[in-house]
Amino acid sequence: MKKQAVIVGGGPAGLAAALRLREKGISDLVILEREHHLGGILRQCIHDGFGLTRFGESLSGPEYAQRFVEQVTAAGIPVITDCTVLDITRERHITAVSRTQGMLELDADAVLLAMGCRERTRGALAIPGQRPAGVITAGVAQNYINLQNIMVGNEVVILGSGDIGLIMARRLTLEGAKVLGVYEVQPYASGLPRNIEQCLNDYGIPLHLSHTVVDILGEERLTGVVVAQVDERFRPLPGTEQTIPCDTLILSVGLIPENELSLAAQVELDPRTRGAWVDEHGQTTVPGIFSAGNVLHVHDLVDFVSLEAEKMADSAAEYITTGTLPPCPLSVRSDGEVGHVVPQKISGSRDFTLSLRVKRPRTNARLLIRQGDRMVLQRQMRKVLPAEMIQLPIKASQLLPQSDLEVCIQ
Amino acid sequence: MIRTITCVLCPNSCELTVTHEGGAIQSIVGNLCPKGTSYAAQELTDPRRTIATSIPITGGELPLASVRVTAPIPKDRIMDVMAEINRHTRPAPVHIGDVVIENVLGLNTDVIITKDVAAG
């Protein structure tokens, strides 16, 4: 089957991209979604705070998703749910299986990758100890509690201070569990300050920085964890170990863009974001394959996922209609204080949005964007945190057409 | 007196330095928008938060529908509101915006459904 555009993933990025493609006159498109419902991870994010930028109100995740789902339905955009994409080739041939339609073979003018991200697990941390039940990631706990009505435990320790872990600390407390503490290996929290305040401080849940879990106890079910303080190189300090009896350990230790299909299509990944290298059009290193949202780089806010997906869809529509996009020969480079930048390539002739994260918290930082000796933009920032993605709109009129862009923090 | 308050109204998470005398604010530093001013005043005298949870749905395609309060409730009544919400169920179908509890515990806020659940 031939399509103008195939969108892989029906979460916030995929839904926003599909709507924008349709607005731009791309009529022959389809969304392929692995789950039974559209909406992606928003379906289990029942707390509020979504949509402040986009809709000017504080919505829950399911409400935010439903606004897009309703528009997709009203626009008559074809959706295949319960559909797993097995392979994407460099030539944009897609193989998928669906419960209702069996094996699907699609050829697309443009493929829009919107698969989102997944959680780092215990295996990635190499925590020693037993392998009892009761050790789960924060997103899995969220799925059990908010979608399946299954309570995960009573006495809970949380490792990692990512936003989902903080949100789950509050959620578990509301459901009657005792959250004994959140342990973070870094000397600073990795979640947003508002979540430290409203999810931990409000409920008297202690946050222990520069601490980690060094042992997991229990045979059938978790009976406790051993925590210890760490030094500046994250090595546990002997003599600081403390055993905490608990039945559940929740891991909130990072998210990884889910790029197995991108790799199958020979899309090159940036080791810093673990997402695709993209130019300002959201186009990957494979022509006609685009990427946006959490599969490109992990976002803090869904509002910015929607926005990024729409910009990608603008470019994909242009690519489908005209068969080409302006070349992007200029690299965006960054210094050691910047964790990553997106996009990694630009044209120098169009407006674009630069996204970046800093590596460590700083106060009174100056963000400088230069082309050679020429200052493109500088911004004084009172406080920068790795937890907060920085986004800067940059105008074509500020740019030279022939020189790489350098981003640094002073 | 000087108090540091983290504004929770949006992801900016502004750190507000509030100088006050028994709840009467003399100065606020650190807010990026005017909401910070009213948040600080509220936080000093009557701290409020929103909450979200779920209720069981009978005869639905899903076992639960998520719910939330439509306006912030006093922080010290959060567990009371949770207990009240936990007394409720609904038969499918339910729709976003359906009111589950009107004026919950007399706190001038409703509890509404935030997810469509079809009969199943």
Side-chain angles (χ1 to χ4, degrees), chain A residues 4 31 79 81 95 146 185 291 344 374-375:
Chain A
Q4 285 179 295
I31 302 173
V79 175
T81 54
T95 309
N146 292 346
V185 74
S291 176
Q344 293 89 344
R374 187 169 162 275
M375 190 66 69

Coordinates of all heavy atoms in Angstrom, one line a residue, chain A residues 4 31 79 81 95 146 185 291 344 374-375:
Chain A
Q4 N 1.2 8.8 1.4 CA 2.1 10.0 1.4 C 2.9 10.1 2.7 O 4.0 10.4 2.7 CB 1.2 11.3 1.3 CG 0.7 11.5 -0.1 CD -0.2 12.8 -0.1 OE1 -1.3 12.8 0.5 NE2 0.2 13.8 -0.9
I31 N -1.9 6.8 10.9 CA -1.2 6.7 12.2 C -1.2 5.2 12.6 O -2.3 4.6 12.6 CB -2.0 7.5 13.3 CG1 -2.1 9.0 12.9 CG2 -1.2 7.3 14.6 CD1 -2.9 9.8 13.9
V79 N -6.5 5.7 11.4 CA -5.7 5.2 12.5 C -5.8 3.7 12.6 O -6.9 3.2 12.4 CB -6.2 5.8 13.9 CG1 -5.5 5.3 15.0 CG2 -6.2 7.3 13.9
T81 N -5.0 0.9 15.3 CA -4.5 0.7 16.7 C -4.2 -0.8 16.8 O -4.4 -1.6 15.9 CB -5.5 1.1 17.7 OG1 -6.8 0.5 17.4 CG2 -5.7 2.6 17.7
T95 N 6.9 -2.5 7.6 CA 6.2 -3.7 7.8 C 5.6 -3.7 9.2 O 6.3 -3.4 10.2 CB 7.2 -4.9 7.8 OG1 7.9 -4.8 6.5 CG2 6.5 -6.3 7.8
N146 N -3.0 3.6 37.9 CA -3.9 4.5 37.2 C -4.7 3.9 36.1 O -5.7 4.4 35.7 CB -3.2 5.7 36.6 CG -2.6 6.6 37.7 OD1 -3.0 6.5 38.9 ND2 -1.7 7.5 37.4
V185 N 21.2 9.9 43.4 CA 22.6 9.8 43.4 C 23.4 11.1 43.1 O 24.5 11.3 43.6 CB 23.1 8.6 42.4 CG1 22.9 9.1 40.9 CG2 24.5 8.2 42.7
S291 N 11.7 12.9 12.7 CA 11.6 12.5 14.1 C 11.2 13.7 15.0 O 11.8 14.8 14.8 CB 12.9 11.9 14.5 OG 12.9 11.5 15.9
Q344 N 20.8 19.4 15.3 CA 22.2 19.4 15.2 C 22.7 20.0 14.0 O 23.9 20.3 13.8 CB 22.7 17.9 15.4 CG 22.5 17.3 16.7 CD 21.1 16.6 16.9 OE1 20.2 16.8 16.1 NE2 21.0 15.7 17.9
R374 N 31.1 36.3 15.8 CA 29.9 37.1 15.8 C 28.8 36.5 16.8 O 28.5 35.3 16.8 CB 29.3 37.1 14.4 CG 28.1 38.0 14.2 CD 27.8 38.1 12.7 NE 26.4 38.6 12.5 CZ 25.3 37.8 12.6 NH1 25.4 36.5 12.8 NH2 24.1 38.3 12.4
M375 N 28.3 37.4 17.7 CA 27.3 37.0 18.7 C 25.9 37.0 18.0 O 25.5 38.0 17.5 CB 27.3 38.0 19.8 CG 26.5 37.5 21.0 SD 27.2 36.1 21.8 CE 28.7 36.8 22.5

